[in-house]
Amino acid sequence: MTALRLHDYSASGNCYKVRLLLAQLGRPYDRVPVDIFGGDTLTDEYARLNPQRQTPVLEIDAAEPLTESGAILVYLAEGTEYLPADPNERAQALRWLFFEQTEVIQGIAGLRFRLITERIRPDGREAQWRRSVGDAALTVLNDRLGKSEYLAGDTYSIADIALFAYVHVADEAGFELSEYPQVKEWIRRVEGTRGYMNDLEPYPPNSY
């Protein structure tokens, strides 16, 4: 089996989603902790791994390092139950990966990080804008999950893993998940899947 080495940050949902899939696949890997606020991504060595100086990064034997959490999920899920083989179903799964990066990252993940680390005021203009994006994203998810058990249909996939990472902590950004009952039920379903684990850590003091 191909050897894997994951460079990641323990408090990042983008990194957590990769660790979750690896756990559910039962796939062994070497984990390299990266302190993104301690300067670890600013070294020349890290820039050779990822010129964007972001996490996660997956090293795959002698292949070029793989960046972007969605791309890593697709690579790891290829040929498994977590990535549909049917072209239409696969496209639906990928659709949610794109949605997560454009809507959920801005409206939920970005707001959560900035509020927790006190970078913005809860009643400020940026917070209000991000909250409106997050509410719209949760409404889309709630409507979708009223039609199927999982985002790409009736089967759990990387679409659910990608969205779960930040949606399940949306309350930490001030969102009332009770207003989105289908999303709450979906979170419970994800937590009941085979091999589920949650090792997402709080933001450490040096992130403030």
Side-chain angles (χ1 to χ4, degrees):
M1 184 175 288
T2 304
L4 302 174
R5 185 176 172 87
L6 179 66
H7 300 257
D8 82 339
Y9 180 61
S10 59
S12 163
N14 280 324
C15 295
Y16 164 56
K17 68 183 73 162
V18 176
R19 298 195 301 270
L20 175 55
L21 177 57
L22 284 165
Q24 296 194 296
L25 288 170
R27 189 87 184 264
Y29 66 100
D30 292 324
R31 184 177 177 186
V32 182
V34 177
D35 185 350
I36 63 176
F37 293 101
D40 289 356
T41 62
L42 302 180
T43 66
D44 292 340
E45 181 182 2
Y46 197 86
R48 285 190 287 271
L49 281 175
N50 184 359
Q52 292 176 277
R53 302 181 183 276
Q54 298 172 348
T55 56
V57 177
L58 185 67
E59 286 190 273
I60 311 158
D61 282 348
E64 182 177 355
L66 187 56
T67 65
E68 300 296 337
S69 59
I72 296 172
L73 291 181
V74 172
Y75 170 80
L76 292 172
E78 188 66 51
T80 76
E81 64 189 283
Y82 300 103
L83 183 63
D86 176 82
N88 291 327
E89 293 178 2
R90 177 180 290 232
Q92 287 298 325
L94 295 178
R95 163 204 173 189
W96 290 108
L97 267 64
F98 302 146
F99 176 87
E100 190 262 350
Q101 287 292 293
T102 58
E103 307 303 316
V104 172
I105 291 296
Q106 286 193 90
I108 297 176
L111 178 60
R112 173 178 173 265
F113 170 71
R114 286 164 176 79
L115 290 178
I116 289 176
T117 60
E118 301 178 348
R119 280 168 165 77
I120 61 174
R121 294 184 295 107
D123 59 348
R125 180 176 298 178
E126 182 178 348
Q128 292 175 11
W129 168 71
R130 289 185 182 276
R131 192 168 293 112
S132 69
V133 175
D135 278 324
L138 288 168
T139 298
V140 170
L141 292 175
N142 199 68
D143 290 347
R144 171 60 179 172
L145 292 164
K147 300 172 184 175
S148 62
E149 287 199 351
Y150 297 103
L151 290 172
D154 294 325
T155 304
Y156 177 68
S157 72
I158 58 172
D160 303 287
I161 293 172
L163 272 294
F164 179 83
Y166 282 114
V167 171
H168 87 285
V169 288
D171 60 324
E172 296 177 8
F175 295 97
E176 293 290 342
L177 286 176
S178 59
E179 297 177 5
Y180 307 96
Q182 301 300 334
V183 173
K184 284 193 70 173
E185 286 299 319
W186 166 77
I187 288 172
R188 283 193 280 269
R189 284 195 294 274
V190 172
E191 291 172 340
T193 55
R194 185 182 71 253
Y196 169 81
M197 66 85 189
N198 192 339
D199 63 354
L200 181 64
E201 296 186 8
Y203 288 111
N206 73 346
S207 66
Y208 287 72

